[in-house]
Amino acid sequence: MNQDQNAPLREDVRLLGEELGAVLRNQVGEPLFDTVENIRQAAVESRSKGAMQADHLRELLDPLDDATLLEVARAFSQFLNLANIAEQRHRERLHRQHQRFPGDPDTDRGLRQVLAELSKAGKSPEEIHGTLKELSVELVLTAHPTEVTRRTLIRKYDRVADLLNTLDRPDLTPEESQDLRRHLQEQILSAWSTDEIRRSRPTPVDEARWGFATIEQSLWQALPRSMREIDSELALAKLPPLPVDWVPIHFASWMGGDRDGNPNVTASVTREVLHLARWMAADLYLRDVENLLADLSMHRASEELLQRTGPSHEPYRLVLRQVRDRLKITREKMEARIGRRAEPSGLAFSSSEQLADELRLIDRSLRAVGLSAIADGQLKDTLRRLNCFGITLLRLDIRQESTRHADTLDAITRYLGMGNYSSWSEEEKQEFLVSELDSRRPLVDESFYRSDFCDEEVSEVLQTCKVIAEQGPEGLGAYVISMATTPSDVLAVMLLQKIAGVQVPMRVVPLFETLDDLDGAATTMSTLLNIPLYKQRVLDGQEVMIGYSDSAKDAGFLGAAWAQYRTQEALTGIFRNHGIPLTLFHGRGGSISRGGSPTRMALLSQPPGSIAGRIRVTEQGEMIRFKYGRPSVAAYNLEQYVAATLEATLMPPAEPRSEWRAEMDRLTEVSVGNYREVVQDDPALVAYLRTVTPETELSRLALGSRPARRKPGGGVESLRAIPWVFAWTQIRLMLPAWLGTGAALENALKHADETDILRDMSRQWPFFQGVVDMLEMVLAKADPRVASWYEERLTQDAELIQLGVSLRERLAHTVEALKQLTGRESLLDNNPVMRWSIRVRDPYTDPLHLLQAELMARLRERESDAVLESALMVTIAGIAAGMRNTG
C-alpha cells in the first residue's frame, strides 16, 4: 500500500486525538490534561530512541494518587479505542477503493479476481456456476469472552465511525464540517462520561441478545448487500444467474447452547434463547413486510395470485397483510412462551417454508406480469434473508463435554442393573450403544428421572435433549462434543437423543482438541464408518470440528497447526473413500495461538480437497464486532468468505512435497518438545503466570458468563485457552503464539539443506506461508522490555526472574530466526500498514502497561480497593484495544 492510501487513516487518528484532548481539557481540567500529555510525549520520545525506556515514565507516574491513575488510564484507553475506530473506518474506505479499482494490487483480493483466475485456469462457466450453487459457508457466532467493550460504548463508537464517514465527503461546506466536528466531540464526550467497565457478568441470555443485536444492526443489512455485490460480479463475469433466493452464507450460534464447563447454560436457558431468537426473527420480518406493503401497490398480478386473492386492485397487499398478521401472531406466541404465559390463538409460522411460500407466490406473480425489476428489489432481499436466517434467526448449536454424556449413560446402566458403563471397555460400550440405537424399545421410562440415579448433572443432560425434542430441527444446528476421543463419545449422544424422544436428531459433531485427540481422529471416524448403522445415518454428510485453542495450549502453535493439517488431510481422504461429504468445522479464535488469521489465508492454507465447497467456522468475541459490526465491513467480509471458499474448492493448493512434510515433522518434534519443556515441565511457569501477568486479575473483569477455569485451582491444564492467551498478551510476551516455534526454526536454519527447504516452503506452500506471516505479525506486537517491567514491579523471586530472562531470550532468538528465514531486516517490512498501526499505538499502550503493573502491585498489597480495581480493569480493556485482540 502506498503512502497516499494510508494518509486518510493518519488524518483520522490525528483528528480523534485532538477532539479527545479537547474533551479532557473541559472535563478533567488543564492540570490533568497536562499530566496525560506529558506522559504521552515521554512515551513518544522514548520510543523514538528505539526500545522503550521506562525510567522517565515511571518518574511521571509514581507520584500520582489512585484517583489520578484511574483518569490517566481512562485517557489512554479511550484513545486506543478511537484509533481502532479510525482503522475500522479506513477498512471501509479501502473496501470502496477495492470496488472501484478491483485490479489494484494494494487492495484486498475479491470475487472478481477469483473469477478471472478461475476462467484463466480453464474452469468452465458451468463448473463455476455449479460449485457456487452448492457452496455452503456457515459462520458460527460464539460467546467466548474476548469482547471487552461494553455494548453501550460500542453504539457510541459506531456513531463516531458514521461521523468520520460523513466527514470524508468532498462536498461539505465549512459550516457542515464544523457542525460534524461538534457532533464528533459530543460523542467522544458521551463515551468519556460512560463507565468503560462491565460491572456484572452477562448471563448466557444476555450474550445471546448481543448476538441477535449484531444481526439486527448489521448483518440483516449486510447479507442482501453482499449478495447484490456478488450478483454484480457474476454478471460481469458473464456467468448464468443463480436462483432468486440463492444464499451460500448461513449463521449459527453457540450463545445459550455452549454448556461446556459453563454451569450457567441450562436446558431452560437454551429454551429461552431459542424462543427469543424466533421472536427477533418475526420482528425483523415484520419490518420487511411493512416496507413491502408500502411498495407493492400495483394491481397487475398473475392468475395464480388472483386465484388466492380474488379480484382486487391491490392483490399483493392482500397477501402481505395476511403474512403480517401471521408474523404478529408468531411474535406474540414467542412472547408468551418467554413469559411462560398462555399462548394466544391464531395461525403462526412454524417453518421457514411456510413464509417462503407466501413470498415466492408474490415473486412469481411480479415476474409473470413483467415487473421483474420490482421483484428484484426489497422482495428479493427478504427472500434471501429468509434463506439465510430462517424463521429462527440462527441455528443454535449445543456443546457439551464428552464425560457428561458418559456419566449420564453410567447412571442409566446402573439404574437398569446392567453394570457401570464408565468401566466398560471401548468395544463393550460400542456394542451396547449400537444395540440400543437399533432397538425399538425405550431404554428407560419416566421412573428413571425420579430415581436417585438421576442426579442434577444427569438430569440436566437429559433435559437438554428434551429441549432438542420439543423444539424441532429448524432452529438447531450441531451437537458438538468437546474433548471427544473415541467412537463411543459420538454414539453416546445419538443414543441420548433417542432416549429423549428426538424425532429428527441433531447431527453429532466430535470436536478433536488436544494433540493426541487430533492424531487419533482418523482412527475414531474410520471405526464409526465401519459400523453399518452409523454409516447409514451419515450418508448425506458428516461434520467434524477441529479445535485450535486447546491443541495450541497443549502443543504450541506450530505443533498444533501441523497436527490440524494432517488430521484434516486424513479425514478428507477417509470420507472421500466412503463417498460421504465432509464438512470441517474450524474452531478458530481471533489470536494466532487460537487459529486466527485473515480469511483467504486461513482457507487457502488448508489441505487440498478439504474445503470442497463446504466450510464452517467460529467467529468469536471482538472479532464479531471487527468483522461484522458495521454493515459495509460485514458485507465485504461475507464476500471474502464466498470468494475464498470458491477459490479453495476449484483451485486448491498443490499437495505438499514429501521433503516439506519431513521438514514439518522435524520442526514440530523440536517445537512441541521445547514448548512443553517450559509449559508443562517447568514448575515455575504457573507461578510466573499468576505473579507477573494479570491472569488472576482477569477473573475480576466481567467478560462472559463462563468461568475462567474448567475447575477451581489447578495449573495451566485447568485454565481455559482464552485467559491463557489473554494474560500473555497483556504483558506483550505473546508466549503461546511463538514458544517452541523459534527453537524449531533456529535448529533447522543451522543446516544449509534444511534452510533451502524452509525457504521453498515459505515461497510455495500456502500452509507454511500462513504460519510465517502470522508468526511475524505476533512477534511485531511482542515487546520483551514491556514484559520485564511487570517483573521489576511484581516479583523479587529469583526463580521467576530467571524464568523471565529465559523467556525473553527465547523470544529474541525466535525473532532472529524469523528474520533469517524471511531475509528481511525488520519485522513487517512487507506490511507497512500493520507496522504503522502498532507503532502509533505504542506511546499509548506503554503507559497503560506501566500503570497496570503498578495497579496490580498496589491491589495485591491492599486486596480490595474500588478505585484501583476500576483503574486496573480500564488498563486491561485498553491494552486489549491496543493489541486489537484479547484471546
Side-chain angles (χ1 to χ4, degrees):
M1 176 175 294
N2 59 46
Q3 289 297 104
D4 289 339
Q5 285 177 303
N6 208 22
L9 172 57
R10 293 196 301 273
E11 178 58 26
D12 283 347
V13 170
R14 184 196 60 76
L15 171 64
L16 292 173
E18 284 181 4
E19 296 301 341
L20 176 60
V23 166
L24 290 178
R25 278 195 175 92
N26 290 331
Q27 293 299 304
V28 298
E30 205 70 36
L32 186 55
F33 171 81
D34 289 341
T35 298
V36 170
E37 185 60 18
N38 288 339
I39 293 168
R40 188 187 72 83
Q41 287 290 351
V44 169
E45 289 169 13
S46 178
R47 281 284 176 181
S48 69
K49 297 173 183 175
M52 175 63 194
Q53 303 300 313
D55 294 345
H56 183 38
L57 266 181
R58 280 209 186 92
E59 290 172 6
L60 294 171
L61 290 170
D62 284 349
L64 304 181
D65 59 30
D66 295 350
T68 305
L69 284 181
L70 171 59
E71 294 301 282
V72 169
R74 293 188 67 224
F76 284 102
S77 180
Q78 195 66 253
F79 175 82
L80 289 165
N81 278 301
L82 293 174
N84 285 346
I85 295 168
E87 280 201 20
Q88 183 88 337
R89 167 66 199 123
H90 195 54
R91 283 215 297 275
E92 295 181 55
R93 191 182 285 124
L94 292 178
H95 174 41
R96 291 183 63 82
Q97 180 170 325
H98 161 76
Q99 291 176 307
R100 293 170 61 204
F101 308 107
D104 186 339
D106 285 327
T107 61
D108 287 331
R109 180 185 179 86
L111 185 59
R112 187 176 304 184
Q113 290 86 345
V114 170
L115 292 173
E117 290 200 12
L118 288 172
S119 178
K120 188 177 177 182
K123 303 296 179 183
S124 69
E126 293 76 20
E127 187 178 7
I128 297 170
H129 181 272
T131 304
L132 277 169
K133 191 174 178 181
E134 300 302 319
L135 209 68
S136 175
V137 175
E138 189 163 23
L139 305 175
V140 185
L141 310 181
T142 79
H144 285 341
T146 60
E147 173 57 84
V148 297
T149 309
R150 291 181 62 202
R151 276 179 57 192
T152 300
L153 278 169
I154 289 170
R155 283 192 287 268
K156 298 180 192 302
Y157 293 153
D158 283 344
R159 180 66 184 133
V160 169
D162 290 337
L163 290 166
L164 286 179
N165 185 30
T166 309
L167 278 164
D168 262 356
R169 281 179 45 190
D171 61 342
L172 291 174
T173 66
E175 292 78 11
E176 287 173 329
S177 294
Q178 186 176 359
D179 196 45
L180 286 168
R181 287 199 60 162
R182 180 177 60 79
H183 285 306
L184 190 64
Q185 192 173 123
E186 285 174 8
Q187 290 300 315
I188 293 172
L189 172 60
S190 179
W192 175 259
S193 305
T194 301
D195 190 354
E196 303 93 329
I197 303 304
R198 195 184 290 121
R199 297 293 170 179
S200 57
R201 284 191 176 275
T203 67
V205 174
D206 292 334
E207 291 170 334
R209 289 180 190 274
W210 177 75
F212 302 160
T214 301
I215 293 176
E216 178 187 18
Q217 295 163 17
S218 178
L219 289 171
W220 197 255
Q221 291 76 40
L223 187 278
R225 182 188 297 190
S226 177
M227 293 307 302
R228 289 185 179 280
E229 291 175 5
I230 291 170
D231 279 345
S232 298
E233 296 299 340
L234 297 181
L236 192 66
K238 296 184 170 54
L239 288 168
L242 287 150
V244 169
D245 59 354
W246 172 74
V247 177
I249 300 159
H250 298 89
F251 292 93
S253 173
W254 280 11
M255 301 179 190
D258 181 10
R259 58 237 314 122
D260 175 29
N262 189 349
N264 301 309
V265 179
T266 62
S268 61
V269 163
T270 296
R271 184 183 290 111
E272 181 178 356
V273 166
L274 287 163
H275 292 157
L276 279 167
R278 288 195 61 186
W279 182 96
M280 175 59 80
D283 191 65
L284 288 169
Y285 288 119
L286 262 172
R287 300 178 207 179
D288 274 20
V289 168
E290 292 287 3
N291 289 332
L292 289 169
L293 267 165
D295 280 0
L296 300 187
S297 57
M298 55 287 304
H299 61 86
R300 294 205 321 268
S302 67
E303 283 299 318
E304 181 189 21
L305 186 74
L306 292 174
Q307 283 177 4
R308 163 79 176 272
T309 63
S312 171
H313 66 288
E314 290 184 336
Y316 300 101
R317 285 180 168 172
L318 285 177
V319 176
L320 286 167
R321 287 190 189 104
Q322 294 171 359
V323 171
R324 179 181 62 186
D325 291 344
R326 284 186 72 176
L327 283 169
K328 285 181 177 177
I329 291 167
T330 305
R331 188 174 63 177
E332 289 166 8
K333 283 180 179 287
M334 292 306 114
E335 284 176 359
R337 290 181 189 179
I338 294 163
R340 299 180 184 178
R341 304 188 305 270
E343 293 183 26
S345 60
L347 186 62
F349 286 111
S350 58
S351 74
S352 298
E353 198 60 29
Q354 292 171 349
L355 178 54
D357 285 344
E358 302 288 279
L359 298 177
R360 287 181 193 136
L361 172 64
I362 295 171
D363 179 78
R364 287 194 301 271
S365 176
L366 289 169
R367 296 182 191 281
V369 298
L371 297 175
S372 295
I374 293 172
D376 285 333
Q378 291 190 67
L379 179 61
K380 190 172 187 177
D381 289 347
T382 300
L383 278 166
R384 283 174 158 171
R385 285 175 178 136
L386 184 58
N387 202 357
C388 174
F389 298 107
I391 62 161
T392 58
L393 200 66
L394 294 157
R395 288 185 181 273
L396 186 68
D397 282 3
I398 303 294
R399 184 168 76 134
Q400 181 59 280
E401 205 252 327
S402 59
T403 58
R404 293 289 300 276
H405 307 132
D407 290 346
T408 301
L409 287 170
D410 187 75
I412 289 172
T413 56
R414 286 187 290 111
Y415 169 76
L416 294 171
M418 299 173 68
N420 290 48
Y421 174 88
S422 296
S423 66
W424 295 351
S425 69
E426 175 61 19
E427 290 73 21
E428 289 171 320
K429 288 177 182 176
Q430 289 179 33
E431 184 180 351
F432 164 74
L433 293 165
V434 171
S435 172
E436 289 302 326
L437 282 166
D438 209 24
S439 171
R440 294 192 175 186
R441 66 175 175 81
L443 187 61
V444 294
D445 56 24
E446 287 299 315
S447 61
F448 170 74
Y449 296 92
R450 298 188 295 272
S451 73
D452 292 338
F453 292 92
C454 188
D455 62 23
E456 188 176 343
E457 290 201 344
V458 168
S459 176
E460 182 55 44
V461 170
L462 292 170
Q463 289 304 321
T464 296
C465 291
K466 286 194 171 185
V467 170
I468 296 168
E470 74 187 34
Q471 291 296 321
E474 190 163 337
L476 295 166
Y479 194 121
V480 179
I481 311 166
S482 59
M483 294 299 171
T485 58
T486 60
S488 64
D489 290 333
V490 177
L491 296 168
V493 175
M494 294 170 67
L495 181 57
L496 289 170
Q497 290 190 73
K498 181 190 173 193
I499 290 169
V502 179
Q503 296 299 309
V504 183
M506 294 178 74
R507 63 185 187 274
V508 181
V509 178
L511 164 53
F512 298 107
E513 299 180 80
T514 67
L515 194 60
D516 287 344
D517 293 346
L518 286 166
D519 288 341
T523 301
T524 295
M525 299 314 298
S526 287
T527 303
L528 283 167
L529 291 174
N530 287 326
I531 299 171
L533 177 143
Y534 184 85
K535 183 173 181 178
Q536 185 63 34
R537 295 197 182 188
V538 298
L539 283 176
D540 290 338
Q542 169 77 57
E543 185 175 316
V544 176
M545 186 170 183
I546 304 297
Y548 287 74
S549 304
D550 284 295
S551 56
K553 185 160 78 78
D554 176 39
F557 165 60
L558 189 64
W562 183 228
Q564 291 148 10
Y565 188 96
R566 287 185 288 104
T567 298
Q568 291 177 68
E569 270 189 323
L571 291 172
T572 299
I574 289 166
F575 281 90
R576 185 191 298 118
N577 292 339
H578 280 272
I580 295 173
L582 172 66
T583 300
L584 288 165
F585 180 9
H586 298 267
R588 295 178 176 274
S591 61
I592 176 179
S593 43
R594 297 186 54 244
S597 63
T599 300
R600 181 170 180 267
M601 179 195 295
L603 268 63
L604 290 181
S605 63
Q606 305 307 316
S610 64
I611 302 291
R614 304 154 70 98
I615 190 75
R616 204 167 191 252
V617 184
T618 54
E619 297 283 16
Q620 48 195 251
E622 80 281 2
M623 299 313 296
I624 295 174
R625 177 161 60 98
F626 290 158
K627 293 171 72 172
Y628 308 110
R630 294 180 61 77
S632 62
V633 175
Y636 171 66
N637 279 304
L638 296 179
E639 185 207 325
Q640 285 280 297
Y641 261 115
V642 171
T645 305
L646 179 66
E647 183 178 8
T649 300
L650 291 180
M651 289 198 304
E655 292 279 351
R657 299 176 190 168
S658 58
E659 63 265 30
W660 296 352
R661 290 180 179 280
E663 184 59 33
M664 282 305 304
D665 288 340
R666 287 191 291 269
L667 287 172
T668 53
E669 183 179 2
V670 175
S671 175
V672 173
N674 188 272
Y675 175 86
R676 288 178 171 172
E677 173 184 284
V678 175
V679 172
Q680 295 181 5
D681 300 339
D682 191 330
L685 185 82
V686 172
Y688 186 94
L689 176 71
R690 293 182 181 158
T691 304
V692 176
T693 82
E695 186 266 325
T696 54
E697 284 78 7
L698 288 177
S699 61
R700 303 173 190 244
L701 196 59
L703 278 174
S705 65
R706 218 165 58 160
R709 293 181 175 277
R710 294 182 187 271
K711 297 175 183 176
V716 170
E717 75 288 344
S718 70
L719 190 66
R720 289 191 177 277
I722 290 168
W724 163 250
V725 175
F726 203 155
W728 294 109
T729 302
Q730 287 282 302
I731 69 167
R732 298 285 285 276
L733 203 53
M734 323 295 274
L735 186 90
W738 58 263
L739 184 61
T741 306
L745 291 176
E746 192 175 32
N747 183 67
L749 290 166
K750 291 175 182 175
H751 310 285
D753 55 340
E754 285 193 62
T755 300
D756 291 340
I757 293 171
L758 282 177
R759 288 185 174 148
D760 279 345
M761 289 162 62
S762 62
R763 283 191 298 264
Q764 301 178 49
W765 189 13
F767 165 74
F768 195 69
Q769 288 169 353
V771 167
V772 171
D773 287 351
M774 293 306 292
L775 181 63
E776 185 167 14
M777 181 274 289
V778 82
L779 289 176
K781 289 185 176 183
D783 193 321
R785 178 59 187 146
V786 169
S788 71
W789 300 343
Y790 287 81
E791 280 177 34
E792 290 166 13
R793 184 64 182 91
L794 294 168
T795 186
Q796 294 180 335
D797 186 310
E799 187 179 17
L800 299 189
I801 291 169
Q802 182 53 45
L803 175 59
V805 170
S806 169
L807 293 177
R808 291 193 294 280
E809 286 176 353
R810 290 172 189 256
L811 174 58
H813 287 180
T814 303
V815 171
E816 289 308 310
L818 186 63
K819 287 180 184 177
Q820 186 181 342
L821 173 61
T822 63
R824 293 191 283 268
E825 290 187 12
S826 301
L827 296 173
L828 294 181
D829 272 352
N830 62 332
N831 191 340
V833 176
M834 175 69 76
R835 189 172 69 242
W836 181 85
S837 172
I838 293 169
R839 286 177 179 172
V840 80
R841 283 168 166 74
D842 280 338
Y844 297 87
T845 54
D846 286 341
L848 286 174
H849 287 300
L850 281 169
L851 274 169
Q852 186 177 89
E854 179 61 31
L855 291 163
M856 287 164 63
R858 293 188 190 185
L859 259 178
R860 289 173 184 180
E861 290 166 4
R862 303 181 202 175
E863 292 189 0
S864 179
D865 184 298
V867 173
L868 288 181
E869 271 200 26
S870 292
L872 179 60
M873 296 305 103
V874 169
T875 64
I876 290 173
I879 292 167
M883 294 294 97
R884 285 307 296 264
N885 61 3
T886 50

